[in-house]
Amino acid sequence: MTDERADLMLEILKKIQSDISLMRREQTSLSTRMLAMEDHQRGMITSLHGLMTSLHGVEVDVAHLKDRVDRIERRLGLTDTEH
């Protein structure tokens, strides 16, 4: 009867070991996926920062062009009195 109990305990321990091994593989897979998502998120933030910088540059260019058009209109006497 002790041999049967030992065999049963061995089978239980093997099952536990198998389950733990599976959990480790799944944890490794999840960690890899999470790192990939973090990298993707970092890339999106970098792209967004670049877009914001570009938009600021466009705003500056438009403001500069508006100033130039205003100056040209004043020189040509084309300014509105309501403007």
Side-chain angles (χ1 to χ4, degrees):
M1 186 115 139
T2 23
D3 286 341
E4 289 177 14
R5 284 186 181 180
D7 289 342
L8 180 60
M9 290 299 290
L10 183 60
E11 290 302 315
I12 291 171
L13 290 173
K14 284 181 180 180
K15 176 65 174 143
I16 291 171
Q17 188 177 27
S18 174
D19 290 347
I20 290 173
S21 178
L22 177 61
M23 288 173 55
R24 283 184 180 155
R25 284 193 301 271
E26 289 176 355
Q27 182 182 10
T28 300
S29 174
L30 288 173
S31 294
T32 301
R33 290 174 59 193
M34 188 165 53
L35 287 172
M37 287 174 52
E38 288 171 350
D39 286 346
H40 180 71
Q41 190 177 34
R42 237 184 324 275
M44 288 176 58
I45 289 170
T46 300
S47 295
L48 181 59
H49 179 69
L51 178 62
M52 296 294 286
T53 301
S54 295
L55 285 174
H56 178 70
V58 169
E59 289 172 348
V60 168
D61 289 346
V62 168
H64 179 70
L65 288 172
K66 184 185 177 307
D67 290 343
R68 291 182 68 192
V69 168
D70 288 345
R71 191 169 16 128
I72 291 169
E73 287 177 341
R74 277 195 310 275
R75 284 185 179 174
L76 295 176
L78 300 174
T79 57
D80 295 334
T81 55
E82 299 174 16
H83 195 272

